[in-house]
Each structure stands twice: as C-alpha cells, then as structure tokens.
Amino acid sequence: MNNIAILPKSSEFTEKARLLASKLNLKLLPPQDHSQLPDSQIVLSVGDIISLQPCGKKASGAVYVDFVSGAVDHRRKFGGGKGQTIAKAVLVKNLKNPYIIDATAGLGRDGFIFASLGARVQMIERNPIIAEILQDGLNRAANCPDIADIISRISLFKGGAVDFLANMTEKPDVIYLDPMFPVREKSALVKKEMRVLKAVAGEDLDAGELFEAAINKAKRKVVVKRPRIAPAISDRRIDLSFEGKANRFDVYINQGF
C-alpha cells in the first residue's frame, strides 16, 4: 500500500481525512487536484463519499460503493430477483431467510443482492482500505428509507475470513466466495475498476485455504464464483454449476446436512 495516500476533497474534510489516515496508517496529502499527482499514485479520496481514485490526467474514474442508485439499485429493482443465476446458486430452497457469509465481500454488491432477497448476510473484507469504502457505502445506504431494511440485515467484519470462520459461534447456511481473478469482462469500465482494486488488494493467493475452511464450516453449501472458463478452485467434486455470460457459480453441497 506504499502508493496509496489519503486526500481530502477540500479543506472541509481535512479532519475526517486525518482520522482515516491515522486509522489506516497512510500518508495524508493536502487538498489538491488529483490529476496533478503522479500516475503511480492512488488516493483514498475523502469527502461526502469515500472513494479510491487513481491519479494523473488520464486516470480512470473513482471507485466507491453505492447501494442507493446506479447499477446496484437498478439490479435490485429489475434484475430478476430470485431468478438471477447467482440467486439460484446461493439461496436455499424452502429456506426463507438463510444466513449467508460473503467471505470475500469486496465492494459488497453480491452480498447486497442476497440481503435484498431476504438473507441475513455477514460480509467479510480483509483489505482495510476496501473495507472502509464498503463501510462508507453501508453507512450512507442505512439512511435511505427505501433500502434501510436491507442494510439492517447486513453486518461487516473487517479482517481475515479464515480467522473469522475459525472463531465464529453460529454456522452459516451458505458461504459464498468470490476470489480475485484476472479480469475477463468485456466492459472497459469494469476492467478499470478491477485494475484499481487489484492494485490495492493484490492477488488472492490463499483462496484454496479459504475454500477448505469454508467447506468445513458451511451447514448446507459453499458457492464459488469463477470466470466462466476458469478452472475450479479445488479438486473437490462440484455438485452443481450455474453458468452466466461471463461467470459461473460452482456449488459444493454439504452432504452431511
């Protein structure tokens, strides 16, 4: 995280930025135009919204969490509900309010889908910078009357998923994993966003360890999101697989349930 610093959007947000810089042990920059900073610099921009912003005159747009509007809100309203491929893979038939752990929460979009469909969701994000962006998005969404009830079903743990699973007291019905993988989506916007997140989070080198921990803790099943043509995360037999245009969802059922 040597190339990441905290940048208040204006002097109004300097104290908020200072507290965050202290919490994350990152350098605090004075308010300035991010386009004037070196291309190698990424800033955690602090304003009404906390976002990741690549720097330089040709930098891509900011990465932030928005559950209230835009693509996530559109998907909630018109995305197909329980008919979505991800919902078919993750939700449990005849179980109205499953407890789901999203162990690699990232920007929280998939976990939000589960909560919008009635699940109680425990999000886990180990990267402290991404976790702060996600927490900021959850906090803002909690104040929106239209989705406050959805947000109330979501909890966020900032830390490692393997340790969380080892010490939890309540076993989840489902554990969902979406390890970081090479960008394959055709959308240039998605590619830019994923590049920024990879620059911050790095590779998921311990995805196999997390998968084995999940297999031992999920009451009903583990679901792993993969690029459509990528190899499986493990040599274990896949019980079901739900395929979409760009991704697939491999389902490993707990046969002892």
Side-chain angles (χ1 to χ4, degrees), residues 118-132:
R120 177 164 56 96
V121 179
Q122 174 66 65
M123 293 182 178
I124 303 174
E125 178 49 52
R126 68 178 174 183
N127 183 275
I129 294 175
I130 296 174
E132 288 300 324

Side-chain angles (χ1 to χ4, degrees), residues 114-157:
F114 308 148
S116 71
L117 297 175
R120 177 164 56 96
V121 179
Q122 174 66 65
M123 293 182 178
I124 303 174
E125 178 49 52
R126 68 178 174 183
N127 183 275
I129 294 175
I130 296 174
E132 288 300 324
I133 295 172
L134 177 54
Q135 184 69 71
D136 177 63
L138 290 169
N139 291 346
R140 285 183 281 107
N143 295 318
C144 176
D146 287 349
I147 59 172
D149 62 323
I150 296 174
I151 301 301
S152 71
R153 292 193 287 274
I154 299 174
S155 300
L156 173 61
F157 175 78

Side-chain angles (χ1 to χ4, degrees), residues 38-55:
D39 290 351
S40 60
Q41 181 75 68
I42 298 175
V43 296
L44 193 60
S45 177
V46 178
D48 291 325
I49 293 174
I50 298 176
S51 63
L52 272 172
Q53 175 66 66
C55 297

Side-chain angles (χ1 to χ4, degrees), residues 99-103 120 122 124 164-165 168 172 174-176:
Y99 172 36
I100 298 173
I101 289 182
D102 181 353
R120 177 164 56 96
Q122 174 66 65
I124 303 174
F164 181 93
L165 296 180
M168 65 186 181
V174 181
I175 297 178
Y176 175 76

Side-chain angles (χ1 to χ4, degrees), residues 89-107:
V90 173
L91 297 183
V92 179
K93 189 176 181 180
N94 299 325
L95 188 61
K96 187 176 181 181
N97 303 113
Y99 172 36
I100 298 173
I101 289 182
D102 181 353
T104 51
L107 298 181

Side-chain angles (χ1 to χ4, degrees), residues 66-80 84 112:
D66 181 11
F67 296 121
V68 178
S69 61
V72 175
D73 185 57
H74 185 273
R75 187 174 182 181
R76 175 178 68 88
K77 294 175 178 175
F78 309 108
Q84 298 174 76
F112 179 80

Side-chain angles (χ1 to χ4, degrees), residues 82 84-100 117 119 173-174 219-221 223 240 242 251 253 257:
K82 293 183 178 180
Q84 298 174 76
T85 305
I86 189 173
K88 291 177 181 178
V90 173
L91 297 183
V92 179
K93 189 176 181 180
N94 299 325
L95 188 61
K96 187 176 181 181
N97 303 113
Y99 172 36
I100 298 173
L117 297 175
D173 296 294
V174 181
K219 285 200 299 187
R220 296 172 184 262
K221 59 184 175 180
V223 180
L240 295 167
F242 296 81
V251 181
I253 296 174
F257 178 76

